Amino acid sequence: MPYFFTAKASAADTPPSPNERLRIGAIGMRYQGSVVADKAQAHGDVVAICDVDRQMAEKAREQFGGKADLYEDHRRLLERKDLDAITIGTPDHWHAAMVIDACRAGKDVYVEKPLTLTVDEGKLLMRVVQETGRVVQVGSWQRSDHRFRLAVEMVRQGRIGRLERVEVVLGKNVTGGPFAVTEPPSHLNWDRWQGPTPAVPYIEQRCHYTFRWWYEYSGGQMTDWGAHHLDIAQWGIGELPVEVSGQAKHPDVPNGYNVAVDFEAEYKYPSGVVMTVRDTGRNGIMFIGSEGQIFVNRGTISGKPVEDLEQNPLPRESFKLYARDNLSRPERMGKLDSIVNHMGNFFDCIQTRQTPISDVVSQHQSVTTCHIGNIALRLGRPLKWDPQAERFVGDDEANTWLRREQRSGYEIIA
């Protein structure tokens, strides 16, 4: 579909010249944030950096040439009129607010996955993107990895017959705790790091990489690896779920990680396709059809239909699921190389004002599938889902889990 078009956006935007170096602001600079900002440097200059951890910000400034201005509050960075694009690599609980703020400030955005912390955040975010006409690319880079793209194209083009089942393995959530409560380090603004989540005393393991093992800030593997693998699985299925069930154990450790362990979820789709999501087994995605199966992960793509490509190839020119592929870019596989193409697609769309390959609609739908899976795991019962209304059917309690209270002073403004 064409990218969201509004008269307001059309009047406000003239795409920059292809020969013009764009000016980039980077928000959230720990590992993944610095990776995506680095890949953006092929298309522009990082001139502004924001992080609530001063040490991370200073380290990033040195990495990007030592001249970028530093900010602790992303809103101050977004006030700059000279910035064309923003990269966001913060923890999950900040993604929606920062994308919304950036779009309303007139910036195009590359934001790390998962797109949101809740389903209702995604509804608001899509509306804001539509209203502002901004280009938003989500960092679900497996869509730009040739192995994953080939697998999905083969499934959708009937190379395994009628799709019947998809099996996804994500990996185990980490367990741990109780952890010590300490004073936050002087270089970290702990209050701002927490943002819209409940204010709690500082625990080192709540912060930086290990934030993903706390429901307050993330959703564990279901939204971490799930934002990648369930996205690819659902792209291959080509429709949205209508029922979800699951079972899991949840730790009860004071001041400890609280995401599900030993989890398994099952999704049912209107066509009869069933998708299972487990935490044990070989990490990856298995598409099972009436005439064959394909397995794909970050290291391989395999199955008889893949072997048959030697006699019956499926060239990139025959791919159908994304109409704006830049075929001048080489096939890339693996995380860092695929992000090169994923970032290139983002900057292509800045020029053309077209829809990027991991746009907010597809990524809201994918992470919604992750979120409702987590809700089913936490409630411990089957749930019927209406993907058009984006609500559970006949379950008021489950529907209360589609949003979260936001801390005063950090609310996302509708």
Side-chain angles (χ1 to χ4, degrees):
M1 67 179 193
Y3 199 71
F4 292 125
F5 179 88
T6 65
K8 178 180 178 181
S10 177
D13 290 306
T14 300
S17 163
N19 299 319
E20 181 183 344
R21 291 287 290 177
L22 302 184
R23 294 168 68 83
I24 300 164
I27 304 172
M29 299 309 296
R30 201 177 179 277
Y31 171 68
Q32 191 61 21
S34 65
V35 167
V36 297
D38 178 67
K39 301 307 181 187
Q41 280 195 121
H43 308 275
D45 300 315
V46 177
V47 298
I49 288 171
C50 177
D51 201 292
V52 296
D53 185 326
R54 188 173 66 253
Q55 288 186 351
M56 290 292 126
E58 291 172 351
K59 180 180 178 181
R61 176 160 60 183
E62 292 307 307
Q63 177 184 350
F64 294 103
K67 296 181 180 179
D69 297 325
L70 299 187
Y71 300 84
E72 185 177 84
D73 187 329
H74 74 279
R75 296 170 299 180
R76 303 291 82 79
L77 179 148
L78 293 175
E79 289 172 353
R80 290 181 54 155
K81 304 299 184 184
D82 62 331
L83 298 180
D84 302 293
I86 303 296
T87 63
I88 299 173
T90 64
D92 305 356
H93 61 283
W94 265 112
H95 289 175
M98 288 181 173
V99 172
I100 288 170
D101 289 345
C103 288
R104 287 173 170 165
K107 321 299 185 189
D108 296 320
V109 185
Y110 184 108
V111 58
E112 263 309 307
K113 61 81 204 168
L115 180 61
T116 60
L117 189 65
T118 69
V119 173
D120 280 6
E121 282 184 355
K123 297 177 186 177
L124 174 59
L125 195 154
M126 285 204 304
R127 176 168 65 79
V128 171
V129 172
Q130 182 175 11
E131 290 172 353
T132 60
R134 305 319 307 179
V135 173
V136 178
Q137 173 87 300
V138 182
S140 301
W141 57 263
Q142 288 182 174
R143 287 192 171 216
S144 295
D145 181 303
H146 183 68
R147 277 184 291 247
F148 288 100
R149 178 67 182 279
L150 177 62
V152 171
E153 292 283 351
M154 292 178 70
V155 170
R156 294 287 290 271
Q157 295 191 39
R159 295 294 181 100
I160 63 171
R162 179 174 56 83
L163 181 62
E164 297 176 343
R165 187 174 182 86
V166 184
E167 298 175 354
V168 180
V169 175
L170 303 178
K172 303 289 286 184
N173 283 321
V174 175
T175 59
F179 301 116
V181 174
T182 63
E183 288 296 315
S186 60
H187 54 81
L188 174 69
N189 185 334
W190 174 236
D191 181 76
R192 187 148 194 84
W193 188 96
Q194 295 175 91
T197 67
V200 296
Y202 176 74
I203 293 174
E204 181 182 1
Q205 289 80 5
R206 285 184 177 270
C207 198
H208 292 324
Y209 179 83
T210 48
F211 74 85
R212 68 200 66 221
W213 314 128
W214 305 80
Y215 276 131
E216 293 90 326
Y217 319 116
S218 184
Q221 294 286 31
M222 186 66 84
T223 57
D224 191 32
W225 272 95
H228 286 300
H229 281 358
L230 270 66
D231 177 50
I232 295 298
Q234 199 156 267
W235 206 15
I237 295 169
E239 54 186 2
L240 303 176
V242 293
E243 188 173 340
V244 58
S245 60
Q247 56 186 4
K249 299 176 183 176
H250 286 87
D252 184 17
V253 181
N255 292 333
Y257 299 142
N258 56 18
V259 293
V261 295
D262 302 328
F263 67 85
E264 179 177 347
E266 181 179 272
Y267 298 84
K268 296 180 180 179
Y269 289 79
S271 64
V273 171
V274 173
M275 177 174 72
T276 61
V277 182
R278 296 185 175 92
D279 64 352
T280 55
R282 186 185 183 190
N283 183 290
I285 308 157
M286 177 74 81
F287 294 100
I288 302 170
S290 59
E291 300 174 21
Q293 58 189 37
I294 295 172
F295 177 82
V296 63
N297 66 14
R298 293 185 182 180
T300 189
I301 177 171
S302 61
K304 183 63 165 55
V306 179
E307 297 169 8
D308 291 344
L309 289 172
E310 187 173 346
Q311 288 75 39
N312 185 18
L314 184 62
R316 293 168 70 196
E317 292 79 6
S318 298
F319 287 2
K320 298 179 179 180
L321 295 179
Y322 180 66
R324 285 164 290 279
D325 284 322
N326 185 339
L327 297 180
S328 68
R329 292 200 174 91
E331 296 174 2
R332 294 183 185 272
M333 294 173 283
K335 178 176 178 176
L336 296 181
D337 277 352
S338 296
I339 294 175
V340 171
N341 278 4
H342 207 58
M343 188 65 70
N345 173 254
F346 171 55
F347 280 93
D348 285 349
C349 292
I350 288 178
Q351 296 288 341
T352 64
R353 312 313 295 171
Q354 296 293 327
T355 310
I357 194 167
S358 291
D359 67 301
V360 292
V361 174
S362 67
Q363 297 311 299
H364 168 61
Q365 292 171 341
S366 294
V367 77
T368 291
T369 301
C370 300
H371 291 324
I372 66 173
N374 264 338
I375 292 170
L377 294 180
R378 297 178 78 176
L379 291 177
R381 61 174 182 266
L383 301 170
K384 294 188 181 298
W385 177 250
D386 182 337
Q388 281 69 50
E390 295 185 298
R391 291 183 61 81
F392 293 107
V393 178
D395 197 320
D396 292 339
E397 181 187 12
N399 283 321
T400 66
W401 290 66
L402 300 177
R403 65 181 300 274
R404 301 189 191 185
E405 292 299 321
Q406 296 174 337
R407 188 158 61 105
S408 177
Y410 290 96
E411 302 93 341
I412 298 175
I413 300 174

